[in-house]
Amino acid sequence: MSKQIRTGMVLALAVAALVCGQTVVAQQKEPDWSKVQIKVTKVSGNIYMLEGQGGNIAASVGEDGIVIVDDQFAPLAEKIQAALKELKITDKPVRFVINTHYHGDHAGGNVPFSKAGSTLIAQDNVRRRLETGGTAGNGGSIKMDVKPAEKAALPIITFEHDVTVHLNGEDIRALHFPSGHTDGDSIIFFPKNNVVHMGDDFVRYGFPFIDVASGGSVQGMIDAMEKATAQLPADVKVIPGHGALSNLDDVRAFTNMLKETSAAVQKALDEHKTLDQMKQEKILAPWAKWKGDFVNEDAFIETLHNSLTGHKGEFVKHN
Ligand SMILES: [Zn+2]
């Protein structure tokens, strides 16, 4: 996990927050987009991973054209298109963009890509949340207002459970896992090339952001990782939502941490401890190596507490 990746994630959220006005996230300036470089890594066969600012992009590049999974931020769309062209494999455009979820650091490029002729595909709830906007957050200290997206950002093709894109000789399959990082996450499989893009159900920046306010939950994230891991070949190459190319051992270590930390918070809840007590007693100290710039121990205690108790923050009414 590099410093750059963590900074990128924080910046991504800060940008989302700045665009949306109100924020409790650090007030950082918008990145200088002209300085962002798109790094392209060959993962396997005709599958590439693109890193710039925001979430990782997977690309299937071949004779039928290009399919990308996620599209980072709008100001980077031209650089992303140029980086794909630079591979000199095809002159054909990006025909399809699959969004792993609705967050701006993954779907922020939807408008320029759709205007350039790409067809946007995502799970039903991605379109719904882009259309309405709302609040993203962990039900506590992480909170961002999300503005409704313009029409060109909305996926044209949506699905409830799964969809398959047959291109470049591969059956590229997006499979929805409910209520993990958000309520609209998909994991995308490239079976011929033995690659998977996990979206933000699996990240490498430490404790994950679980968007409890957008229907996410720690239990859903654990279920998604266990179900996905069970059906994947042992040597599959794993593209995380953020961070370096990974393997199933990395996913298992992450899943174990989620299970152990949520069990620790559940135990504290069973003992009728309050959120403040859990923070004071530093109940996640044994997992401190997972704390990051974005989600520290206290923020992850909040996340787990709110996920396990169904506390979404903004919906709480005091009658
Ligand atoms: Zn996300």
Side-chain angles (χ1 to χ4, degrees):
M1 175 178 65
S2 75
K3 174 83 185 155
Q4 195 198 344
I5 286 157
R6 281 179 285 146
T7 309
M9 189 64 207
V10 173
L11 280 172
L13 284 153
V15 169
L18 283 169
V19 168
C20 310
Q22 224 181 353
T23 176
V24 291
V25 182
Q27 299 286 327
Q28 295 187 39
K29 276 204 238 145
E30 187 165 325
D32 182 349
W33 301 112
S34 69
K35 292 213 171 80
V36 177
Q37 292 184 349
I38 307 296
K39 182 183 160 205
V40 182
T41 308
K42 181 169 174 154
V43 179
S44 167
N46 64 314
I47 307 297
Y48 295 82
M49 171 167 141
L50 279 67
E51 296 164 90
Q53 190 87 48
N56 289 325
I57 294 173
S60 164
V61 186
E63 58 181 16
D64 299 335
I66 300 173
V67 185
I68 61 172
V69 176
D70 286 345
D71 54 24
Q72 299 191 345
F73 294 99
L76 300 176
E78 280 181 27
K79 288 188 186 197
I80 293 164
Q81 281 154 338
L84 292 165
K85 205 164 199 163
E86 194 61 25
L87 291 168
K88 300 197 189 312
I89 294 168
T90 178
D91 278 334
K92 293 194 175 130
V94 174
R95 291 177 64 179
F96 299 98
V97 176
I98 306 172
N99 294 142
T100 59
H101 62 294
Y102 86 101
H103 288 154
D105 54 332
H106 294 258
N110 277 9
V111 169
F113 275 98
S114 72
K115 286 189 173 164
S118 310
T119 299
L120 309 175
I121 304 174
Q123 206 273 338
D124 297 335
N125 292 334
V126 174
R127 183 181 162 101
R128 188 169 61 80
R129 290 198 179 275
L130 284 171
E131 197 166 24
T132 60
T135 303
N138 72 344
S141 61
I142 301 174
K143 189 176 177 191
M144 293 148 277
D145 287 333
V146 182
K147 274 208 246 172
E150 64 181 279
K151 195 178 164 211
L154 304 180
I156 295 288
I157 296 175
T158 65
F159 59 93
E160 184 181 358
H161 183 256
D162 66 290
V163 71
T164 307
V165 177
H166 305 270
L167 217 74
N168 296 332
E170 184 152 39
D171 303 327
I172 303 164
R173 183 157 177 255
L175 183 57
H176 172 53
F177 288 87
S179 190
H181 174 63
T182 67
D183 62 4
D185 307 286
S186 293
I187 291 177
I188 289 79
F189 300 89
F190 300 90
K192 192 183 80 177
N193 284 291
N194 200 20
V195 177
V196 62
H197 190 310
M198 292 286 197
D200 277 0
D201 271 340
F202 171 61
V203 294
R204 300 300 302 273
Y205 56 73
F207 290 134
F209 170 44
I210 299 175
D211 190 348
V212 179
S214 302
S217 73
V218 65
Q219 195 51 55
M221 198 179 249
I222 292 168
D223 286 349
M225 288 304 92
E226 291 195 321
K227 282 183 183 141
T229 305
Q231 56 184 276
L232 285 163
D235 59 349
V236 68
K237 295 193 170 67
V238 179
I239 299 176
H242 296 264
L245 197 60
S246 304
N247 58 39
L248 281 192
D249 284 341
D250 301 318
V251 176
R252 283 191 199 97
F254 177 79
T255 311
N256 286 340
M257 177 276 290
L258 293 179
K259 289 168 89 167
E260 290 166 8
T261 52
S262 52
V265 171
Q266 185 60 56
K267 180 168 173 281
L269 283 169
D270 293 344
E271 291 163 357
H272 305 290
K273 285 182 184 165
T274 65
L275 181 55
D276 283 342
Q277 281 174 317
M278 294 180 204
K279 288 180 184 175
Q280 274 159 19
E281 292 174 17
K282 298 190 182 306
I283 63 168
L284 295 190
W287 300 274
K289 69 168 186 176
W290 291 86
K291 73 168 177 255
D293 296 343
F294 177 23
V295 182
N296 62 24
E297 278 171 70
D298 280 355
F300 200 54
I301 291 174
E302 287 173 6
T303 304
L304 296 173
H305 173 278
N306 294 336
S307 178
L308 294 168
T309 58
H311 176 93
K312 295 184 197 309
E314 79 275 28
F315 299 122
V316 175
K317 286 199 181 117
H318 300 281
N319 293 321

